[in-house]
Amino acid sequence: MSELLEAAAEAGKLDAADGLAALRERFVLDDVVYLDGNSLGALPAGVPARVEDVVRRQWGELRIRSWEESGWWTAPERIGDRIAPLVGAASGQIVVGDSTSVNVFKALVAAVRMAGDGRDEILVDATTFPTDGYIAESAARMTGRSLRPVTPAEVPSALGDRTAAVLLNHVDYRTGRLHDLPALTAAVHAAGAYVVWDLCHSAGALPVGLDEHGVDLAVGCTYKYLNGGPGSPAYLYVRRDLQDRFDSPLPGWNSHAEPFGMRPAYAPASGAVRGRVGTPDILSLLALEAALEVWDGVSVEAVRAKSLALTDFFLRCVGEYVPDGLVESVTPAAHAERGSQVALRCADAGDVMKRLIERGVVGDFRAPDVLRFGFTPLYVGFADVERAARVLAETLE
Amino acid sequence: MSELLEAAAEAGKLDAADGLAALRERFVLDDVVYLDGNSLGALPAGVPARVEDVVRRQWGELRIRSWEESGWWTAPERIGDRIAPLVGAASGQIVVGDSTSVNVFKALVAAVRMAGDGRDEILVDATTFPTDGYIAESAARMTGRSLRPVTPAEVPSALGDRTAAVLLNHVDYRTGRLHDLPALTAAVHAAGAYVVWDLCHSAGALPVGLDEHGVDLAVGCTYKYLNGGPGSPAYLYVRRDLQDRFDSPLPGWNSHAEPFGMRPAYAPASGAVRGRVGTPDILSLLALEAALEVWDGVSVEAVRAKSLALTDFFLRCVGEYVPDGLVESVTPAAHAERGSQVALRCADAGDVMKRLIERGVVGDFRAPDVLRFGFTPLYVGFADVERAARVLAETLE
């Protein structure tokens, strides 16, 4: 038991020295170790009162007047600007709305159209979360291009004169592997193609640097590390100098230059607004807006440092507590290749996760054999990490 | 003033005899005459507590477990089944999610694909709410078809061997004209084409009869006469015998036969679920589900009867109160051609509507010259109608 005592003592020291520890108060939490924030972020404490105001006063009392008076109409771009600094984007390049899948479709079709008729192939991450692959297949079919699944490592050699666009994940949903966004973006550009990054598993957990690295288009969900709530709307980034060339496959009235002009002919708006489609989903959008207030005064770099410390510590505790051979990490050991989750391959992983949850350690299971543990630095501490590893060891014994 | 006294007395009698009058208690209302339920329905009284439970308990306490335990995962099809009887559909044919614009895209592309390669033209209602036209143009472009705008009256003569699909509105958003869904559907079918109906301005206000009239596909929003809240998710109807041929242009992971199998290859689910795309927007969906409870025990036929009585009475009061020549109704007088709104053409309509709203009569303005008044039979009474006409007359004098 000396390893247990040692690790528990170290967890206490790490928590005491954690400059982000107080942020936990900004969330509604209990004594569960919640390591599933990479699937659904915990409830920020300010959300319930905001949602109540939106429902009772803005909708119930002001009704239709709220489209102007409560700022409903401009919520997609206003909340986009709130997300922007978290992903390294200047304002005016992100709109919030629709699901990640719908935004992948918008971004990928627009990227193919930017590339022009001479380029007939789309590359897609073969290890992607499946929806991106399904949507990429539809985008390829509907733009008359062929689709070629390749691993991110294979992208540089697969690029060529035929490549129109490349759809990549910043962090792999299953393994937690972080891909090299700057290098891959540069490689895509060197081939004269356009890149779409899916930030679902990186935004809010680590610096993305969209502007710095010249990313063309990006999408992401807001219900993981951004804590927007179940199924909260996704976002779309279009780099400023590409916005005039963004030719949406979903040109709904909200993206019109004059949406209330009721013109029969479509004329796209300028700027990020061009990525909008239909009437924005106000309840979910404004819940997300309240949720984003937990980021006030928080540096993404500090979040990243804590994230790496948490996953390092988890891997160390698992190594010390769990008998050899029972689990195998499929998450890279190198910091440069690691997101904010640890994925452990394990026999009967589905059943093991059920037992972990019963014992107050909540991660999730991804078929066929992976236990996923996500570490949200805003509310997960080192004592949580030690407890999770300990309960895992006890469960497996 | 005798006309005023007479109409006011009649309003009192009509309200006293109104079998639906008590339904007003199911909504949060004040002394404003709210005739904008055809843009944003009023807040149903049961919604705030439900939303609070969804946020605080389902999200805040159960967190990720709610996807199963709180029925989040199945909400799109469960709530679709709740809408089904309101539009004359048996269960298993409607899913809720995404915006109306996105659903128009899904439905129209799917309809074109059902029609097959030999049919190269899409007809679209030339008088449509603009987003349908913009999306139809994109659907035509992306499926290699041509798009031809025609008025609903011109549809029968425009149909032919080339027609793949026709996109129509059940009720015109501007004039309030009700189109002949059974006859137009039959005409489209006689030409061997497929029809997509937009029900935004009819569902919840009058019987639609989707199954009875053999409609192929339909879409609609839920924030007008269904009172789902600002930007609440739209729905998609796919007739049961067409579901196996529904080939979605947005085949997100939620429409996969085995969504948690994480398969790289897409295999569509059976049934209405095939119309889903990405992760459903739970806050807005469950607010809508609570909102739909106001329909318990309510017959759509009774709603329709009251709607016609309300619009008849409004037209009569306007005729009696407003001096000749100041307004002109662009809404058909014939019941068979009237939805649940009255649109009055009027000089300086934008300014007139502002003054009406200042005086507690809330309708809306649609460019260039139309005052729109929507009559939601669930919470609008005859005294409201008389007051609205009276204030309009005073405002115009």
Side-chain angles (χ1 to χ4, degrees), chain A residues 30 34 36 39 41 59 63-64 72 113 131 134 138 141 223 229-231 247 249 251-253 256 263 279-282 284, chain B residues 30 36 39 41 59 63-64 72 113 131 134 138 141 223 229-231 247 249 251-253 256 263 279-282 284:
Chain A
D30 47 28
Y34 191 65
D36 212 4
S39 185
W59 174 14
R63 287 185 285 265
I64 198 75
W72 288 357
R113 289 174 173 174
T131 208
Y134 308 156
S138 176
R141 173 184 176 188
Y223 46 77
D247 182 3
W253 73 293
H256 196 282
R263 310 278 178 204
T279 303
D281 195 332
I282 294 303
S284 297
Chain B
D30 46 28
D36 212 5
S39 184
W59 174 13
R63 288 184 286 263
I64 197 75
W72 288 357
R113 289 174 173 173
T131 209
Y134 308 156
S138 177
R141 173 184 177 188
Y223 45 76
D247 182 2
W253 73 293
H256 196 282
R263 310 279 178 203
T279 303
D281 195 330
I282 295 302
S284 297

Side-chain angles (χ1 to χ4, degrees), chain A residues 28-30 32 34 36 39-44 47-49 51-52 54-56 58-65 67 72 98-102 105 109 113 126 129-131 133-135 137-139 141-143 173 223 227-233 247-254 256 258-267 277-284 287 291 357 362-364 366-367, chain B residues 28-30 32 34 36 39-44 47-49 51-52 54-56 58-65 67 72 98-102 105 109 113 126 129-131 133-135 137-139 141-143 173 223 227-233 247-254 256 258-267 277-284 287 291 357 362-364 366-367:
Chain A
V28 176
L29 289 162
D30 47 28
V32 163
Y34 191 65
D36 212 4
S39 185
L40 175 66
L43 172 65
V47 167
V51 171
E52 185 173 6
V54 172
V55 172
R56 288 188 190 271
Q58 296 184 13
W59 174 14
E61 294 175 23
L62 298 179
R63 287 185 285 265
I64 198 75
R65 291 162 48 194
W67 281 107
W72 288 357
D98 305 306
S99 66
T100 304
S101 299
V102 169
F105 186 74
V109 170
R113 289 174 173 174
F129 183 76
T131 208
Y134 308 156
I135 294 290
E137 195 173 1
S138 176
R141 173 184 176 188
M142 298 194 80
T143 57
Y173 80 101
Y223 46 77
N227 312 298
S232 56
D247 182 3
S248 177
L250 294 168
W253 73 293
N254 272 232
H256 196 282
E258 199 191 346
F260 291 94
M262 303 290 149
R263 310 278 178 204
Y266 181 70
V277 184
T279 303
D281 195 332
I282 294 303
L283 264 57
S284 297
I357 291 170
V362 178
D364 62 21
R366 282 293 174 265
Chain B
V28 175
L29 290 162
D30 46 28
V32 163
Y34 191 64
D36 212 5
S39 184
L40 174 66
L43 172 65
V47 166
V51 171
E52 185 172 7
V54 171
V55 172
R56 289 189 190 270
Q58 296 184 13
W59 174 13
E61 294 175 22
L62 299 179
R63 288 184 286 263
I64 197 75
R65 291 162 48 193
W67 281 107
W72 288 357
D98 306 306
S99 66
T100 304
S101 299
V102 169
F105 187 73
V109 170
R113 289 174 173 173
F129 183 77
T131 209
Y134 308 156
I135 294 290
E137 194 173 2
S138 177
R141 173 184 177 188
M142 297 194 81
T143 57
Y173 80 101
Y223 45 76
N227 312 298
S232 57
D247 182 2
S248 177
L250 294 168
W253 73 293
N254 272 231
H256 196 282
E258 199 191 346
F260 291 95
M262 302 292 148
R263 310 279 178 203
Y266 181 69
V277 183
T279 303
D281 195 330
I282 295 302
L283 265 57
S284 297
I357 291 170
V362 178
D364 62 21
R366 282 295 174 263

Side-chain angles (χ1 to χ4, degrees), chain B residues 168-204:
Chain B
L168 292 168
N169 294 278
H170 197 191
V171 171
D172 184 276
Y173 80 101
R174 206 174 57 85
T175 63
R177 177 181 290 274
L178 170 65
H179 295 297
D180 190 342
L181 181 144
L184 285 165
T185 300
V188 173
H189 288 171
Y194 292 80
V195 67
V196 178
W197 282 99
D198 181 332
L199 309 178
C200 284
H201 287 272
S202 64

Side-chain angles (χ1 to χ4, degrees), chain A residues 2-11 14 308-322 329 338 342 344 375 382 385-386 389-390:
Chain A
S2 68
E3 284 153 350
L4 288 180
L5 290 170
E6 201 179 298
E10 183 163 344
L14 289 166
L308 287 170
L310 288 166
T311 50
D312 275 345
F313 189 57
F314 182 68
L315 286 166
R316 207 189 96 197
C317 290
V318 168
E320 288 181 6
Y321 295 175
V322 177
S329 172
R338 192 194 302 161
V342 171
L344 301 178
F375 298 85
F382 294 89
V385 167
E386 190 275 337
R390 183 159 33 86

Side-chain angles (χ1 to χ4, degrees), chain A residues 16-239:
Chain A
D18 174 13
L20 303 182
L23 296 175
R24 185 180 163 91
E25 298 303 315
R26 299 185 184 182
F27 292 86
V28 176
L29 289 162
D30 47 28
D31 61 353
V32 163
V33 177
Y34 191 65
L35 303 181
D36 212 4
N38 55 334
S39 185
L40 175 66
L43 172 65
V47 167
R50 180 72 59 84
V51 171
E52 185 173 6
D53 181 64
V54 172
V55 172
R56 288 188 190 271
R57 188 181 60 85
Q58 296 184 13
W59 174 14
E61 294 175 23
L62 298 179
R63 287 185 285 265
I64 198 75
R65 291 162 48 194
S66 275
W67 281 107
E68 278 192 31
E69 292 179 29
S70 303
W72 288 357
W73 182 260
T74 53
E77 50 268 26
R78 182 178 71 242
I79 302 170
D81 281 348
R82 195 75 178 76
I83 292 171
L86 303 179
V87 292
S91 64
Q93 300 176 102
I94 295 181
V95 283
V96 181
D98 305 306
S99 66
T100 304
S101 299
V102 169
N103 281 298
V104 168
F105 186 74
K106 289 183 222 171
L108 198 51
V109 170
V112 166
R113 289 174 173 174
M114 287 174 192
D117 288 340
R119 292 174 173 263
D120 69 353
E121 188 172 78
I122 298 171
L123 302 180
V124 63
D125 180 352
T127 59
T128 187
F129 183 76
T131 208
D132 291 32
Y134 308 156
I135 294 290
E137 195 173 1
S138 176
R141 173 184 176 188
M142 298 194 80
T143 57
R145 266 66 173 183
S146 59
L147 182 70
R148 189 172 155 206
V150 292
T151 65
E154 292 165 341
V155 164
S157 61
L159 287 162
D161 290 348
R162 291 182 54 193
T163 315
V166 186
L167 173 60
L168 292 167
N169 294 278
H170 197 193
V171 171
D172 185 274
Y173 80 101
R174 204 175 57 85
T175 64
R177 177 181 291 274
L178 170 65
H179 295 296
D180 190 342
L181 180 144
L184 285 165
T185 300
V188 172
H189 287 171
Y194 292 82
V195 68
V196 179
W197 283 98
D198 181 331
L199 309 177
C200 285
H201 287 270
S202 63
L206 50 91
V208 178
L210 290 177
D211 286 353
E212 180 187 353
H213 304 302
V215 166
D216 302 308
L217 301 122
V219 303
C221 77
T222 61
Y223 46 77
K224 299 180 188 293
Y225 297 108
L226 298 180
N227 312 298
S232 56
Y235 57 90
L236 169 69
Y237 165 91
V238 182
R239 200 179 70 214

Side-chain angles (χ1 to χ4, degrees), chain B residues 5-370:
Chain B
L5 289 172
E6 199 180 300
E10 183 163 345
K13 280 184 205 159
L14 288 166
D15 278 329
D18 174 13
L20 303 181
L23 296 175
R24 185 180 164 93
E25 297 304 315
R26 299 185 184 183
F27 292 86
V28 175
L29 290 162
D30 46 28
D31 61 352
V32 163
V33 177
Y34 191 64
L35 303 182
D36 212 5
N38 55 334
S39 184
L40 174 66
L43 172 65
V47 166
R50 180 74 59 84
V51 171
E52 185 172 7
D53 181 64
V54 171
V55 172
R56 289 189 190 270
R57 189 182 59 85
Q58 296 184 13
W59 174 13
E61 294 175 22
L62 299 179
R63 288 184 286 263
I64 197 75
R65 291 162 48 193
S66 275
W67 281 107
E68 279 191 28
E69 291 179 29
S70 303
W72 288 357
W73 183 259
T74 52
E77 50 270 24
R78 183 178 70 243
I79 302 170
D81 281 348
R82 194 76 179 77
I83 292 171
L86 302 179
V87 292
S91 64
Q93 301 176 103
I94 295 181
V95 283
V96 181
D98 306 306
S99 66
T100 304
S101 299
V102 169
N103 281 299
V104 167
F105 187 73
K106 290 183 221 170
L108 198 51
V109 170
V112 166
R113 289 174 173 173
M114 287 174 190
D117 288 340
R119 292 174 173 263
D120 68 354
E121 188 172 78
I122 298 172
L123 301 180
V124 63
D125 180 353
T127 59
T128 188
F129 183 77
T131 209
D132 291 32
Y134 308 156
I135 294 290
E137 194 173 2
S138 177
R141 173 184 177 188
M142 297 194 81
T143 57
R145 266 67 173 183
S146 59
L147 181 70
R148 189 172 155 206
V150 291
T151 65
E154 292 166 339
V155 164
S157 61
L159 287 163
D161 289 350
R162 292 182 53 192
T163 315
V166 186
L167 173 60
L168 292 168
N169 294 278
H170 197 191
V171 171
D172 184 276
Y173 80 101
R174 206 174 57 85
T175 63
R177 177 181 290 274
L178 170 65
H179 295 297
D180 190 342
L181 181 144
L184 285 165
T185 300
V188 173
H189 288 171
Y194 292 80
V195 67
V196 178
W197 282 99
D198 181 332
L199 309 178
C200 284
H201 287 272
S202 64
L206 50 92
V208 177
L210 290 177
D211 286 353
E212 180 186 353
H213 304 302
V215 166
D216 303 307
L217 301 122
V219 303
C221 77
T222 61
Y223 45 76
K224 299 182 189 291
Y225 298 107
L226 298 180
N227 312 298
S232 57
Y235 57 91
L236 170 69
Y237 165 90
V238 183
R239 200 178 71 215
R240 196 181 312 278
D241 63 297
L242 294 176
Q243 289 173 347
D244 284 349
R245 294 167 56 205
F246 181 81
D247 182 2
S248 177
L250 294 168
W253 73 293
N254 272 231
S255 70
H256 196 282
E258 199 191 346
F260 291 95
M262 302 292 148
R263 310 279 178 203
Y266 181 69
S270 296
V273 173
R274 193 180 285 201
R276 288 176 62 163
V277 183
T279 303
D281 195 330
I282 295 302
L283 265 57
S284 297
L285 271 170
L286 299 194
L288 167 62
E289 187 170 35
L292 290 168
E293 291 180 4
V294 301
W295 292 93
D296 285 349
V298 176
S299 124
V300 177
E301 286 70 24
V303 166
R304 172 61 170 165
K306 180 174 172 186
S307 160
L308 288 170
L310 288 167
T311 49
D312 275 346
F313 190 56
F314 182 68
L315 286 167
R316 206 189 97 196
C317 290
V318 167
E320 289 180 6
Y321 294 175
V322 177
D324 279 352
L326 292 186
V327 298
E328 175 201 4
S329 173
V330 295
T331 301
H335 283 184
E337 296 176 4
R338 192 194 304 161
S340 199
Q341 76 177 50
V342 171
L344 302 178
R345 189 172 286 143
C346 154
D348 302 320
D351 193 50
V352 169
M353 184 50 71
K354 273 187 199 150
R355 282 183 285 147
L356 285 175
I357 291 170
E358 282 164 13
R359 299 191 55 187
V361 174
V362 178
D364 62 21
F365 161 67
R366 282 295 174 263
D369 59 358
V370 165

